[in-house]
């Protein structure tokens, strides 16, 4: 079978009217930057990239060297091509303007440069997540408020997993597609088109160490899964938790499953653990385009009107039926109060 490169796929998407030339170039640039991050990640200890950077990000979290390196690679790659109006990164408090010496484009790029970075030092899969929005008409110097658009307005979203293989998953709102990096050739090659997540699953992902802090409906839902064949669901469930959202989502994209980072008493004041603009919205777009569902446990993630660039939300995503059951338990519990 003839292989289809990412470039060829992008040309076909342009011909189909799904994307314009500027967005196509933007995806190419992001993909090239991610290849560089893959190289840096693969070098591990030999590249001197492991360990702490000795700095903290806007979230107050200690940065790893690879967090900083990946952020710089993405910023540098995207500064000069003329496809962007501005970038925003999970690692930076404010949006990054395009330097005056370069032309500006019509897109806004948001990214989590290295998701799951606590896993780098133990050689477990990490990844990059990105989301692309249109810069509002007439805005020449985008500020944070111009990025605060609901997930439904995303033009594209994707992630790259740096695992045993480097894999990119991408959507423009016309299905979810997977590309695998051919290291010898240096190109991403289409490996799965129009991915579909099974509606039903017997596998869930959650950090069980937070169980005692969860809200009652979450306790009830997971309790029922754990009861297996002997419980009300009359079925045994398996559990996985990589603690790299990209890796957990990629498993769901590949064989189904459901992922939860619910609200709990420890993180309630922050609104959740995962970031709406850098993690929840792009993953929700990818999952919905693959036939899955993504909610906060109460409402559709992509319907939320963002209130801050670094806003956090609870995340329930994956196989539709399980997301619906867990969401229903929360909505019903709220209604009963
Ligand atoms: P880091 O990028 O700081 O390692 O966080 C990863 C993450 O945002 C997401 O990728 C994981 O699903 C989640 O956090 C893991 O959280 P716990 O460590 O609380 O299980």
């Amino acid at each position: 079978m003839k292989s289809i490169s990412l470039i060829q796929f992008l040309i076909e998407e342009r011909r189909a009217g799904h994307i314009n030339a500027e967005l196509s170039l933007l995806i190419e640039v992001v993909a090239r930057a991610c290849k560089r991050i893959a190289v840096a990640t693969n070098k591990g200890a030999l590249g001197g990239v492991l360990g702490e950077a000795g700095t903290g990000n806007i979230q107050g979290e200690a940065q790893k060297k690879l967090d900083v390196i990946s952020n710089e690679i993405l910023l540098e790659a995207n500064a000069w091509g003329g496809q962007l109006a501005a970038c925003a990164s999970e690692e930076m408090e404010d949006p990054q303007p395009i330097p005056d010496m370069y032309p500006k484009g019509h897109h806004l790029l948001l990214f989590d440069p290295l998701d799951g970075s606590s896993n780098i030092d133990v050689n477990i899969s990490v990844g990059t997540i990105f989301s692309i929005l249109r810069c509002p008409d007439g805005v020449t110097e985008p500020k944070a408020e111009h990025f605060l658009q609901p997930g439904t307005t995303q033009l594209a979203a994707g992630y790259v997993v740096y695992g045993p293989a480097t894999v990119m998953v991408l959507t423009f709102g016309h299905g979810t597609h997977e590309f695998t990096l051919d290291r010898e050739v240096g190109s991403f090659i289409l490996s799965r088109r129009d991915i579909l997540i099974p509606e039903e699953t017997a596998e869930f992902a959650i950090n069980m160490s937070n169980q005692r802090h969860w809200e009652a409906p979450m306790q009830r839902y997971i309790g029922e899964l754990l009861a297996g064949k002997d419980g009300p669901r009359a079925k045994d469930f398996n559990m996985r938790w990589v603690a790299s959202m990209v890796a957990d989502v990629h498993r769901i994209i590949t064989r189904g499953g459901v992922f939860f980072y619910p609200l709990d008493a420890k993180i309630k004041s922050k609104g959740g653990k995962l970031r709406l603009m850098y993690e929840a919205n792009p993953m929700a777009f990818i999952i919905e385009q693959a036939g899955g569902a993504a909610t906060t446990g109460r409402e559709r993630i992509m319907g939320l009107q963002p209130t801050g660039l670094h806003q956090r939300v609870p995340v329930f995503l994956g196989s539709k039926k399980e997301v619906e059951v867990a969401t229903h338990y929360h909505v019903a519990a709220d209604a009963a109060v």
Side-chain angles (χ1 to χ4, degrees):
M1 195 186 68
K2 193 177 163 308
S3 62
I4 297 173
S5 68
L6 175 64
I7 309 284
Q8 187 180 342
F9 179 85
L10 293 173
I11 292 170
E12 284 169 7
E13 289 294 287
R14 276 171 62 184
R15 285 186 188 146
H18 295 164
I19 56 172
N20 62 22
E22 196 179 287
L23 180 53
S24 171
L25 176 63
L26 175 49
I27 298 292
E28 276 184 55
V29 172
V30 170
R32 212 174 311 133
C34 290
K35 283 189 239 172
R36 287 184 58 200
I37 298 173
V39 170
T41 308
N42 285 166
K43 287 207 166 101
L46 304 181
V49 295
L50 303 186
E52 307 290 329
T55 49
N57 66 9
I58 157 74
Q59 329 274 346
E61 298 156 342
Q63 287 176 304
K64 299 281 183 186
K65 282 185 195 158
L66 260 177
D67 280 322
V68 176
I69 292 168
S70 306
N71 196 49
E72 278 167 8
I73 289 175
L74 278 157
L75 289 179
E76 196 255 334
N78 281 291
W80 54 273
Q83 68 281 6
L84 278 185
C87 293
S89 164
E90 189 197 290
E91 298 297 327
M92 303 184 312
E93 182 159 8
D94 298 313
Q96 173 88 359
I98 298 300
D100 285 340
M101 59 201 180
Y102 298 127
K104 282 189 189 157
H106 302 90
H107 294 92
L108 301 173
L109 172 68
L110 299 103
F111 52 82
D112 176 356
L114 207 68
D115 179 66
S117 54
S118 63
N119 279 325
I120 296 165
D121 296 349
V122 288
N123 200 22
I124 291 175
S125 299
V126 289
T128 297
I129 309 172
F130 60 92
S131 163
I132 298 172
L133 300 167
R134 172 159 282 282
C135 184
D137 288 343
V139 174
T140 49
E141 298 198 353
K143 307 272 179 302
E145 71 208 62
H146 301 116
F147 285 79
L148 302 184
Q149 305 177 30
T152 47
T153 67
Q154 291 174 103
L155 299 177
Y159 65 79
V160 177
V161 195
Y162 311 110
T166 294
V167 168
M168 170 183 272
V169 171
L170 196 58
T171 186
F172 299 122
H174 297 273
T176 292
H177 318 286
E178 180 202 75
F179 302 82
T180 301
L181 181 62
D182 181 331
R183 282 174 207 276
E184 279 77 45
V185 179
S187 302
F188 278 104
I189 305 293
L190 184 65
S191 38
R192 283 190 291 160
R193 198 192 274 275
D194 291 321
I195 295 169
L196 273 185
I197 302 171
E199 279 203 7
E200 301 203 21
T201 184
E203 195 162 73
F204 67 99
I206 195 163
N207 184 339
M208 285 296 296
S209 71
N210 296 322
Q211 184 174 21
R212 70 187 191 286
H213 305 293
W214 296 336
E215 297 179 288
M218 200 67 209
Q219 303 266 7
R220 174 186 169 199
Y221 172 75
I222 295 291
E224 290 181 2
L225 303 194
L226 293 177
K229 272 197 179 121
D230 306 327
R233 301 296 301 274
K235 170 168 143 183
D236 286 337
F237 284 80
N238 186 26
M239 199 201 87
R240 289 283 183 273
W241 186 248
V242 184
S244 279
M245 190 189 195
V246 278
D248 280 312
V249 168
H250 198 65
R251 187 184 57 256
I252 291 169
I253 282 285
T254 305
R255 67 179 190 210
V258 64
F259 169 99
F260 300 101
Y261 213 115
L263 211 52
D264 72 44
K266 287 188 302 172
I267 54 175
K268 198 163 184 182
S269 62
K270 292 181 176 170
K273 157 98 186 188
L274 302 176
R275 295 77 170 175
L276 174 61
M277 305 301 290
Y278 308 104
E279 295 169 315
N281 264 341
M283 289 307 200
F285 194 17
I286 289 164
I287 291 283
E288 284 196 9
Q289 284 295 315
T295 75
T296 61
R298 291 176 163 92
E299 53 195 324
R300 184 183 177 208
I301 286 174
M302 291 214 294
L304 295 174
Q305 173 57 53
T307 54
L309 210 44
H310 296 282
Q311 180 182 355
R312 295 173 189 251
V313 290
V315 173
F316 294 25
L317 59 78
S319 291
K320 211 172 200 164
K321 172 129 187 272
E322 288 310 318
V323 173
E324 281 171 1
V325 174
T327 303
H328 170 70
Y329 283 9
H330 286 73
V331 172
D334 291 352
V337 177

